[in-house]
Amino acid sequence: MEFRFFGAAGEVTGSMHLLDTGNDQILFDCGMFQGRRKESAEKNKTFTLDRSKITNMVLSHAHIDHSGRIPMLTEEGFSGRIITTRATKDALAYMLMDSGHIQESDAQYLNYKSLRSFMYSQEQNKRKKNISNKEKNSIKKLLKKSPYELDTMAIAKLQKDYGLERFSPLYTMEQARQSLSYIDGYPFGTPVTIGKDTTVKFYVAGHILGSAFSLVTVKQADRTCRILYTGDVGRFGKPILKDPTLDFDEEDREIDLLITESTYGDREHDPVDDLGDSLKKVLLETFKRGGSVIIPSFAFGRTQEIIYMLHELYESGQVPKHPIYVDSPLASNLTTVFGEHPESYDKETHKTFLEKGLNPFYFDKIKFVASVEESMRLTQDDTPHVVISASGMCEAGRILHHLRYKIHNPKNTILLVGYMAQHTLGRRIEEMGMDIANGEDVSQEPPEVKILGKTYPLKARVAKIGGFSAHGDKHELERIITGSNLNIKKIGIVHGEPDQSKAFGQRLQALGYDTFIPAPGDRVAF
């Protein structure tokens, strides 16, 4: 029996691993790489596995770095099923369609930029001088139906006429829609057959709604092997969701191979109990300045947590009740999915909201922004408010427009509430913002960041609340291993930047565990 590593090995994104039982090939996750755009794009379009040989796939949760390449899996060769939890299946109906839309939109925008630049240069060469803004606007009008909509038909025709290369999406919305027919959702704690004498059982991982530890049992003639794949490990004591599982069924406790994430393998989070006070402090300080709080947030999980805590603060009257805008159609849809799965809520959520007849995610001061036009009007609103918008690492989506309109004003606060991967705009804002002590040193020239091709001074305050992370810190990751009733023979450490994985591995080795850190392409037999 062999386990192979293809993604999120030595890095954080692109989770994808393969179990070869001798009879079946079982894929664990099929995630998208994120980070440096050119490097990620190259990795994402390269699918190294023979899809026709994969029996079935097990999906830990719906985040795109774990699920985002599913449409590529199902588009060619794969004839199996994708096995996951019910809540994850429901979330994927929105997540994958949104991802397909982003792929198409990014390709359309790149085609527009490429053609526009070419036409600028052609006009400049013809006139033998720089062209005016009026002439540039004239070219733009040829390529747009409206200020918010590209004329894709005209762009395609002109690219063909000029013999220009066209950018293609990684996959389309239609391919994403087709992939949904391959997905089956099952309840936690129920063994599901995924191969010859091979089953998977899901345990609560506490990371996001529907996230699961996947325990695969393979029965062979001379032995029974168990592989536990954590996916992403959640935190303990956070609102809304149940805590990660520590109590495993008696027949599942002997683990031959544990594959665990290590995103925060050498870091400690702020205490969960401090989250409300930390959020309250940022809101009060920003509102006192007359500013707005801009929160880049993952649409699934983080956004709902922020809404929940804002609801608590507003309900108790601890902060001024300025408007709250959720500017992400995906987040709006996924909030509906949260509302459809109260069986996943912890006791505190039932007591605080449900037993009082309140919905945790809907109240009078919150508005879900739908149209692009409404979103663009909101970017220019200079009255105090809160905006929660995707993407969480500031790499795409409507958050970029809120940042470019708000980042230059010291009244505003950019509140970071999650992990920012290397080489993302979110990481640059985090590092620059924290380096200048949140703008306190007014004698220092503000750093500049590039957003949608233009450069802006970072004058807004930058605040960070680490406790919002959906990933367990080093103590919580260790607790899954040492605080559960599992007996683990070997541990593979993935889904972490090299320093985090190495530190976590050393920590476990000091406790007597047999650990290893795989590189992409590595195999381990057991």
Side-chain angles (χ1 to χ4, degrees), residues 213-256:
F213 298 149
S214 305
L215 197 149
V216 173
T217 301
V218 185
K219 294 183 178 180
Q220 298 179 322
D222 56 342
R223 63 172 181 161
T224 296
C225 290
R226 294 178 186 83
I227 303 94
L228 180 60
Y229 173 55
T230 68
D232 287 350
V233 178
R235 299 202 63 194
F236 291 85
K238 287 188 73 179
I240 307 177
L241 299 179
K242 296 174 182 175
D243 286 351
T245 302
L246 295 176
D247 186 15
F248 291 81
D249 294 340
E250 185 174 355
E251 66 271 19
D252 294 331
R253 295 172 186 173
E254 298 296 321
I255 305 298
D256 295 276

Side-chain angles (χ1 to χ4, degrees), residues 7 10 30 49 72 109 133 136 164 176 182 212 215 223 228 237 249 288 358 424 433 500:
C30 191
L49 288 169
M72 297 178 68
Y109 186 67
N133 287 333
K136 287 181 179 180
L164 299 177
Y182 288 78
L215 197 149
R223 63 172 181 161
L228 180 60
D249 294 340
K288 186 177 180 180
L358 299 174
T424 61
Q500 298 299 308

